[in-house]
Amino acid sequence: MARLQPVRGTHDLLPEQARAFRRVADAARGVAERYGYHEMATPIFEFSEVFKRTLGDTSDIVTKEMYTFADRSGAEITLRPEGTAGVARAVISGGLAQHMPLKYFYAGPMFRYERPQKGRLRQFHQIGVELLGVAEPLGDIEAIALGAATLDALGVSGQVTLELNTLGNAASRAAYRELLVDYFEARRGELSRDSLDRLARNPLRILDSKNPGDRAAIAGAPTLGDSLDAESADFFASVRDGLDRLGIAYAVNPRLVRGLDYYCHTAFEFTTDALGAQGAVIAGGRYDGLVGQMGGPETPGVGWAGGIERLSMLAGAPEPPPRPIALIPIGPRAEAETLVLADRLRRAGFAIELGYRGNLSRRLSRADRVNARAAVILGEDELARDMATVRDLDSGAQDEVPLAALADRLAGLS
Ligand code: ATP
Ligand code: MG
């Protein structure tokens, strides 16, 4: 039977959850459009190379989390673990770089082979934005403001705080890297095997480790702030100044690094403590090196991605669907008429629920179960007089209404 279970870490989205997810994506898309970011969609699978090149071969995603397989032609394919690499690939392969700046929004499933737990799945869903072609701090400010406005639109701002850091420019990171290597070399014994590997290949990544032993060693590590050169410090000051002017509160977290090689300058996360261990709801930053690293023209970029599962848990139950009207025919002639009446009312914009079978009481209880606002009962002799009975299912009141006036009568129900 195991094969008839969903794959571990995947979930069916039944209507209420699908609605909750759609609410997050719709709210985010609406806000994004007000900022001039329009939706695009890349395929959910790409050649593995797209992710290997951009995420770097030491990242957790590439080393442990990718869903990779050979397709029937032998091509190595990966289900996308995140959105930015695909967008960058699309910009390059579609020759879009000549139209900078580019502003995109996306929403859809992502796939990572993770240890499933609350808020951490193998198929999960993200919303995200990318701003390409803007090297100025204004781009970072706008991207963060767009994230804050999205959280506002979802009504969850009060549960979320913005953590901010800078990774500086390449020169600052190189200087910092040396300090960091010296520091961790002296503490090799405390580091996990993964972090020893990171120490050799990309020591900044150690700061991102969730291993408890690593965390203890990390606590005393030098921070990047002390290695920033003037350009990097100015850039960060401009970003903070913009956020201050917009009234967007943040806490500088010098330990916040992004796990990916191409990030520089601004790194940020909107986090919550309302969801237990999985606290990051939106994470992003600047990735000036990414498009160039993929073989495209050197292109600055900044963006973020947010987890729809986590955001929808924070936002709580979505608006219920519109309440339907139940049509309840009694007898074969009424049955036939109901089909046409349902069609007419649906075209007029009503949500119509047909019971399909059963007697009056069975159909009324079905109407209740689907939270119908009213039932329209169609008996043979009423139909003969071109009438129907409308029962208000909230008040229980009922009256006869001419069929010609039915739509108006139903529209009048609050
Ligand atoms: P984490 O530290 O939680 O592993 P991450 O750094 O891997 O997060 P990103 O790659 O920055 O996360 O993804 C952005 C957002 O997507 C996260 O902040 C989170 O809300 C969501 N997310 C990431 N991985 C998962 C997952 N496996 N299941 C559900 N949501 C996820
Ligand atoms: Mg992760």
Side-chain angles (χ1 to χ4, degrees), residues 65 112 114 120 210:
E65 297 178 359
R112 296 183 195 176
E114 305 223 49
R120 186 174 296 286
K210 294 181 180 98

Side-chain angles (χ1 to χ4, degrees), residues 329-408:
I330 299 167
R333 203 174 75 84
E335 203 72 73
E337 296 260 344
T338 300
L339 184 66
V340 177
L341 182 61
D343 183 58
R344 208 180 82 211
L345 291 170
R346 285 168 173 157
R347 286 172 194 271
F350 294 97
I352 299 297
E353 175 75 16
L354 288 179
Y356 309 109
R357 69 168 68 88
N359 59 20
L360 178 62
S361 85
R362 187 163 158 196
R363 294 203 201 207
L364 278 172
S365 58
R366 163 83 188 171
D368 251 3
R369 204 161 55 240
V370 299
N371 193 30
R373 178 64 186 86
V376 176
I377 301 162
L378 300 138
E380 307 262 305
D381 50 311
E382 287 160 301
L383 273 179
R385 291 182 285 116
D386 284 327
M387 302 288 275
T389 297
V390 173
R391 184 185 295 189
D392 183 321
L393 293 175
D394 287 351
S395 69
Q398 69 177 44
D399 56 345
E400 274 200 352
V401 178
L403 286 179
L406 189 58
D408 285 344

Side-chain angles (χ1 to χ4, degrees), residues 64-412:
K64 296 184 214 150
E65 297 178 359
M66 292 209 308
Y67 273 95
T68 297
F69 57 94
D71 74 6
R72 287 171 187 278
S73 74
E76 199 190 291
I77 301 293
T78 294
L79 299 182
R80 63 180 187 195
E82 56 93 46
T84 306
V87 171
R89 192 274 307 140
V91 166
I92 298 168
S93 62
L96 305 173
Q98 47 190 316
H99 306 299
M100 298 290 177
L102 300 169
K103 304 203 240 177
Y104 296 121
F105 168 85
Y106 62 81
M110 306 291 164
F111 306 85
R112 296 183 195 176
Y113 192 81
E114 305 223 49
R115 196 167 65 77
Q117 50 198 293
K118 185 182 173 217
R120 186 174 296 286
L121 296 158
R122 290 183 175 176
Q123 177 177 335
F124 63 103
H125 300 77
Q126 283 184 339
I127 48 169
V129 300
E130 313 293 353
L131 169 61
L132 291 139
V134 178
E136 294 79 5
L138 199 51
D140 310 55
I141 297 164
E142 183 180 82
I144 293 171
L146 172 46
T150 301
L151 296 168
D152 238 2
L154 288 169
V156 303
S157 305
Q159 304 177 72
V160 171
T161 54
L162 169 60
E163 295 180 33
L164 187 68
N165 193 21
T166 181
L167 307 176
N169 58 15
S172 299
R173 277 202 308 289
Y176 179 54
R177 192 191 153 106
E178 282 188 26
L179 291 181
L180 211 54
V181 169
D182 289 347
Y183 173 85
F184 284 122
E185 281 293 351
R187 286 167 186 74
R188 291 187 68 91
E190 297 165 44
L191 293 181
S192 66
R193 190 123 56 84
D194 279 347
S195 282
L196 286 173
D197 187 45
R198 294 180 185 117
L199 183 55
R201 302 217 262 173
N202 186 351
L204 246 75
R205 284 246 170 77
I206 297 175
L207 301 176
D208 217 9
S209 169
K210 294 181 180 98
N211 176 289
D214 290 348
R215 302 265 13 133
I218 291 162
T223 61
L224 210 153
D226 308 326
S227 306
L228 290 184
D229 62 14
E231 188 213 274
S232 302
D234 281 353
F235 194 100
F236 193 38
S238 301
V239 172
R240 284 179 317 196
D241 178 57
L243 296 178
D244 290 341
R245 280 185 291 138
L246 290 173
I248 297 174
Y250 56 84
V252 174
N253 173 1
R255 303 270 171 231
L256 178 69
V257 293
R258 306 297 304 146
L260 308 177
D261 279 339
Y262 47 75
Y263 281 104
C264 59
H265 291 296
T266 314
F268 59 93
E269 271 186 15
F270 289 92
T271 62
T272 180
D273 44 27
L275 296 178
Q278 316 313 327
V281 290
I282 286 181
R286 176 166 281 281
Y287 52 81
D288 290 350
L290 172 73
V291 176
Q293 186 176 317
M294 285 182 87
E298 281 305 326
T299 305
V302 55
W304 53 255
I308 294 183
E309 281 78 3
R310 297 180 195 180
L311 287 166
S312 84
M313 278 192 275
L314 269 193
E319 288 272 297
R323 295 178 72 185
I325 305 293
L327 295 195
I328 302 184
I330 299 167
R333 203 174 75 84
E335 203 72 73
E337 296 260 344
T338 300
L339 184 66
V340 177
L341 182 61
D343 183 58
R344 208 180 82 211
L345 291 170
R346 285 168 173 157
R347 286 172 194 271
F350 294 97
I352 299 297
E353 175 75 16
L354 288 179
Y356 309 109
R357 69 168 68 88
N359 59 20
L360 178 62
S361 85
R362 187 163 158 196
R363 294 203 201 207
L364 278 172
S365 58
R366 163 83 188 171
D368 251 3
R369 204 161 55 240
V370 299
N371 193 30
R373 178 64 186 86
V376 176
I377 301 162
L378 300 138
E380 307 262 305
D381 50 311
E382 287 160 301
L383 273 179
R385 291 182 285 116
D386 284 327
M387 302 288 275
T389 297
V390 173
R391 184 185 295 189
D392 183 321
L393 293 175
D394 287 351
S395 69
Q398 69 177 44
D399 56 345
E400 274 200 352
V401 178
L403 286 179
L406 189 58
D408 285 344
R409 174 67 215 287
L410 295 174

